[in-house]
Amino acid sequence: MAASTRAGARRPAGIVPTGVLVLGAVYTLFPVSWVVVAATKSKAELFSTPTFAPGTGLLSNLADLFAYRDGVFWLWLLNTALYAGGGAVLATVVATVSGYALATYAFPGRGLIFNLLVGGILVPPVVLAIPQYLLFSEAGLAGTYWSVLLPQVLSPYSVYLARIYARAAVPASLLEAGRLDGAGEWRLFHRVALPMLTPAMVTIFLFQFVAIWNNFLLPFIMLGDDHRFPLTVGLYTLLAAGANQPSLYNLIITGTLLSLVPLVALFLTMQRHWRADLSGGAVKS
Amino acid sequence: MRVYRLATAAILVATLCAACSGGSGEPSATAGGGAASGGPVKLTYWTWVPNMDKIVSVWNQAHPDIQVTVSKQAGGDDAAAKFLTAARAGNPPDLVQAEYQMLPSFVAADAVADIKAETAQAKGEFGEGVWGLVTLGTDAVYAVPQDSGPMMLYYRRDLFDKYGIEVPKTWDEYAEAARVVRGKDPKVFLGTFSSKDPGWFAGLSQQAGAQWWSIDGDAWKVAVDDEPTRKVASYWGGLVKEGVIDDMPYFTPEWNKALNDGRLLTWPSAVWGPGVLSSNAPKGKGKWAVAPLPQWNAGENHSGFWGGSSTAVAAKSPSRAAAATFATWLNTDPQALGLLIEEGAVYPASAKGAALMTEAPGYFSNQPDFWKQAAAIGATARGFTFGPDVNVTYNAYRDAFDKAVAARSDFTAAVRTMQDTTVTDMRKTGFTLAQ
């Protein structure tokens, strides 16, 4: 009800922000629409028909992609799902626990730890890839699944986000009341705080999932065995096929399109969660 | 993709330098594979040749005691950087595909082994020129040659007829033909100068007789701006400035489109051209033909190399002898060569392998003697020794020629920039340079 009255009273000035958003949407969706159209083109059509004229080769592209090296595409997709899913879940757990601790407990060195984390946000992960590779090599872990999973488990930005959100959404008085009622710290976190932190967790999960899904340099350096490659690195081997081999553009474009599908699906399902809980959190204080 | 590539290369190279000063020298005990006592020797092999796993499975069946696992990698400069990083970190694959121009940087980093003893009988299978690319003019042998890329001129036979042009025998005739084409149809170019493909430019310089690097005792001599190279640069610079040659880079979507639309009539390329043309310009099937590269002086007969690679054994590999045996089999055994041609679309470097190429590629079905021509041209190709920092030289090529093309300025100045950048980098890295 409240929503409908607000919508009815929309001022004409709302046109400007809407226009800007529409422009932004066009700007970001334009390349995606190219991928969609280009994936339908056969080899012969790709570079000869007008850019946005749909082609006739989608099915044969799909068949070629799935047949390529006995369906290695599916393996790459599974790997990516493992890296992104596993990495995002672990990162969310780590970030939520540490963010909650940083927000609710006063302990010596809290400021220092937090400042170090904020500093960590400023270091682009790309810069860390090679040092991480050398470290993992020392530990004998380079080339394993862990070498791609572990570096993504701690995300300073996610911890920062969790801490900010926990401070705003979990009132100290509520925890105090729980303590008076005799709840232990674990129970407080688990039963009282966690439900309030869900929107932050969804956000962190999505952020990390997308970041790992798109990550290129870390797996590119870490992994030698192409059966452990994620999609980004796998598709890249089709593109950079060597100077004397043609790039397999059709397969790359079709593969790119398919690799978008899980991301879009994830956003569409998680988004609902996200909105409901954000408004739920807003009522609290 | 290009941004990715440049960024990766830059980062890898930068950290490599850091790693070599600070890294620990001890070889890691966990280095890949490992020859455990008892069971078969296990080898890992990084390559980007298509279907290499099928070729290797033939070997694995026949050699239960030496089992090779293929890991298909992305090709090109990134592959070299990745291998160098892995070698530094102590866990390289046992075998690696090494492009000829990258091999010296592997040698300089002590990343590949000298396999002279293991490849003694392989030497006779290869021509002098190709063998020189894996010995670097020294007594050692750092790899077994796999494929080579002698250069030739691809041209649209149908459109040559349409515009009434003869196949150019000299570069002067090529320039004249370029003017004629422009006069007849302002939408069409005879060819294009690519500022993104240093390997192509290196091949053309080799044809002209350039010697960019040479080893003099224990010192390097660098002559990227030698007289033949300057001649090549000023020739193309003149054509670009005159506007009779296009300046779009190869292997780009716009280049593909121009090929498909019949707006580019020639491509001075290498023997592996049919694969690229059939994939990027499927509309031109049956319309192209090959001829020797135009010559600098009438009556001469020279060509250069663009591309080509070898199989090297990592210095840290615990099973060097087994790896060298496999590399020799892969590149000299008739059965392996047949598979390389059929499954891997490779133009073998070995003389025996080249002789196996008989049926013209489908794209060139109109030219049944394609491979005979290719072999004749291949015999005239001359290469040069590559230096230990080719990636720096090649990046300098891209930067300097990008600018020179955009500004229509002097191409010989760009060559000088390449020379200066190369020399500066080699000094900084600690190589001894001869004056």
Side-chain angles (χ1 to χ4, degrees):
Chain A
M1 267 184 294
S4 67
T5 45
R6 225 180 295 146
R10 187 190 284 155
R11 286 170 297 136
I15 290 171
V16 176
T18 311
V20 170
L21 287 177
V22 166
L23 270 183
V26 170
Y27 182 80
T28 41
L29 288 179
F30 189 74
V32 179
S33 59
W34 181 86
V35 171
V36 174
V37 173
T40 66
K41 294 189 182 190
S42 73
K43 230 185 219 176
E45 290 162 341
L46 188 56
F47 295 113
S48 47
T49 57
T51 310
F52 276 95
T56 56
L58 180 61
L59 290 180
S60 72
N61 285 346
L62 286 173
D64 285 353
L65 179 67
F66 299 155
Y68 177 76
R69 297 185 55 212
D70 303 326
V72 75
F73 176 81
W74 295 113
L75 188 62
W76 292 339
L77 190 68
L78 270 181
N79 287 339
T80 309
L82 173 73
Y83 294 134
V89 167
L90 288 175
T92 310
V93 171
V94 169
T96 314
V97 174
S98 11
Y100 171 77
L102 283 169
T104 52
Y105 298 111
F107 55 91
R110 175 166 84 153
L112 181 70
I113 292 178
F114 186 66
N115 286 340
L116 278 177
L117 276 171
V118 173
I121 297 173
L122 301 177
V123 181
V126 170
V127 175
L128 298 177
I130 305 245
Q132 279 165 347
Y133 175 70
L134 295 173
L135 285 173
F136 276 92
S137 297
E138 289 282 313
L141 283 176
T144 62
Y145 282 107
W146 290 113
S147 66
V148 178
L149 269 177
L150 285 181
Q152 324 240 25
V153 166
L154 180 70
S155 152
Y157 180 69
S158 304
V159 178
Y160 172 78
L161 204 72
R163 188 241 186 196
I164 298 288
Y165 193 87
R167 211 164 56 165
V170 186
S173 52
L174 193 64
L175 295 176
E176 207 48 51
R179 274 191 198 106
L180 288 177
D181 288 342
E185 292 303 323
W186 169 248
R187 200 179 161 82
L188 275 180
F189 171 68
H190 187 232
R191 283 299 169 86
V192 180
L194 213 53
M196 295 175 169
L197 290 175
T198 314
M201 291 170 70
V202 172
T203 312
I204 292 169
F205 179 82
L206 279 176
F207 266 147
Q208 274 305 97
F209 192 90
V210 175
I212 303 175
W213 190 276
N214 291 331
N215 199 349
F216 174 79
L217 192 68
L218 183 79
F220 175 76
I221 295 171
M222 284 289 181
L223 301 173
D225 182 355
D226 57 334
H227 291 98
R228 297 200 176 134
F229 282 177
L231 275 174
T232 44
V233 181
L235 289 176
Y236 183 64
T237 64
L238 300 190
L239 184 67
N244 47 1
Q245 304 293 345
S247 299
L248 303 163
Y249 288 110
N250 290 69
L251 303 193
I252 298 160
I253 293 169
T254 314
T256 313
L257 179 68
L258 287 187
S259 74
L260 287 177
V261 174
L263 279 190
V264 174
L266 187 74
F267 260 86
L268 289 183
T269 47
M270 298 288 267
Q271 202 181 28
R272 216 172 18 144
H273 245 306
W274 204 358
R275 222 172 10 193
D277 285 312
L278 270 178
S279 54
V283 192
K284 285 287 178 308
S285 58
Chain B
M1 127 219 172
R2 225 171 251 289
V3 177
Y4 254 154
R5 226 185 244 190
L6 289 181
T8 341
I11 291 165
L12 289 179
V13 168
T15 355
L16 277 177
C17 296
C20 50
S21 49
S24 60
E26 70 207 87
S28 159
T30 55
S37 53
V41 177
K42 289 206 170 100
L43 301 174
T44 48
Y45 177 22
W46 284 3
T47 175
W48 56 88
V49 171
N51 295 322
M52 182 57 90
D53 25 14
K54 289 185 192 158
I55 304 170
V56 164
S57 73
V58 173
W59 160 273
N60 283 346
Q61 257 163 30
H63 299 81
D65 51 331
I66 303 176
Q67 292 292 303
V68 182
T69 310
V70 170
S71 189
K72 190 166 189 286
Q73 303 292 318
D77 298 356
D78 293 346
K82 183 171 172 176
F83 172 71
L84 278 173
T85 315
R88 290 267 194 242
N91 42 17
D94 299 281
L95 292 141
V96 66
Q97 180 173 3
E99 289 181 294
Y100 294 121
Q101 77 270 20
M102 288 304 173
L103 196 55
S105 60
F106 292 177
V107 174
D110 286 328
V112 292
D114 177 4
I115 47 173
K116 185 184 169 87
E118 291 87 351
T119 54
Q121 89 281 19
K123 187 182 175 203
E125 307 278 335
F126 300 95
E128 291 274 307
V130 168
W131 194 251
L133 290 173
V134 295
T135 63
L136 317 184
T138 66
D139 284 334
V141 176
Y142 294 107
V144 183
Q146 181 160 82
D147 57 332
S148 81
M151 289 184 75
M152 42 181 113
L153 183 73
Y154 292 86
Y155 67 97
R156 279 289 292 262
R157 189 184 273 162
D158 58 329
L159 296 179
F160 266 48
D161 289 345
K162 180 179 159 196
Y163 295 113
I165 339 170
E166 295 279 307
V167 179
K169 294 249 176 334
T170 63
W171 286 112
D172 283 339
E173 286 178 26
Y174 186 84
E176 204 39 61
R179 293 183 191 105
V180 171
V181 169
R182 293 300 286 160
K184 293 209 169 144
D185 188 341
K187 282 209 290 282
V188 175
F189 283 100
L190 182 67
T192 178
F193 179 87
S194 173
S195 59
K196 301 273 188 236
D197 292 287
W200 171 76
F201 183 75
L204 291 179
S205 302
Q206 289 171 349
Q207 187 213 10
Q211 292 288 342
W212 286 4
W213 286 273
S214 48
I215 303 174
D216 184 9
D218 57 353
W220 284 93
K221 246 164 103 175
V222 184
V224 179
D225 62 346
D226 62 1
E227 195 272 325
T229 310
R230 285 206 307 270
K231 180 168 69 182
V232 175
S234 74
Y235 171 81
W236 289 96
L239 292 181
V240 168
K241 198 169 179 182
E242 201 183 324
V244 292
I245 285 285
D246 204 354
D247 58 11
M248 70 170 90
Y250 300 141
F251 310 114
T252 55
E254 63 168 336
W255 180 71
N256 296 344
K257 201 159 169 47
L259 288 180
N260 274 311
D261 297 350
R263 284 186 285 113
L264 273 179
L265 304 194
T266 67
W267 183 30
S269 179
V271 69
W272 38 261
V276 175
L277 288 174
S278 63
S279 140
N280 297 24
K283 275 191 172 173
K285 187 174 185 224
K287 295 174 182 162
W288 289 78
V290 284
L293 279 186
Q295 300 295 315
W296 285 103
N297 299 304
E300 277 181 357
N301 202 0
H302 294 302
S303 180
F305 288 104
W306 181 14
S309 64
S310 57
T311 312
V313 176
K316 290 219 173 85
S317 167
S319 339
R320 178 183 302 184
T325 313
F326 168 77
T328 309
W329 173 84
L330 179 64
N331 299 310
T332 61
D333 183 86
Q335 189 190 8
L337 290 170
L339 287 166
L340 275 178
I341 293 166
E342 210 173 300
E343 301 281 354
V346 155
Y347 181 74
S350 91
K352 233 189 301 176
L356 288 176
M357 314 281 287
T358 45
E359 198 185 330
Y363 195 82
F364 282 85
S365 47
N366 55 323
Q367 197 164 11
D369 66 339
F370 181 91
W371 293 117
K372 227 164 119 192
Q373 284 246 31
I377 295 168
T380 69
R382 52 183 178 187
F384 55 52
T385 306
F386 283 101
D389 62 342
V390 171
N391 52 341
V392 172
T393 314
Y394 277 15
N395 280 334
Y397 172 87
R398 295 189 189 102
D399 293 346
F401 276 91
D402 262 351
K403 284 188 201 133
V405 162
R408 297 280 184 267
S409 64
D410 186 9
F411 276 23
T412 54
V415 169
R416 215 155 33 242
T417 309
M418 285 168 71
Q419 163 81 3
D420 294 343
T421 315
T422 310
V423 167
T424 311
D425 176 75
M426 285 178 73
R427 280 228 175 84
K428 211 167 63 192
T429 322
F431 290 102
T432 321
L433 295 190
Q435 272 322 310

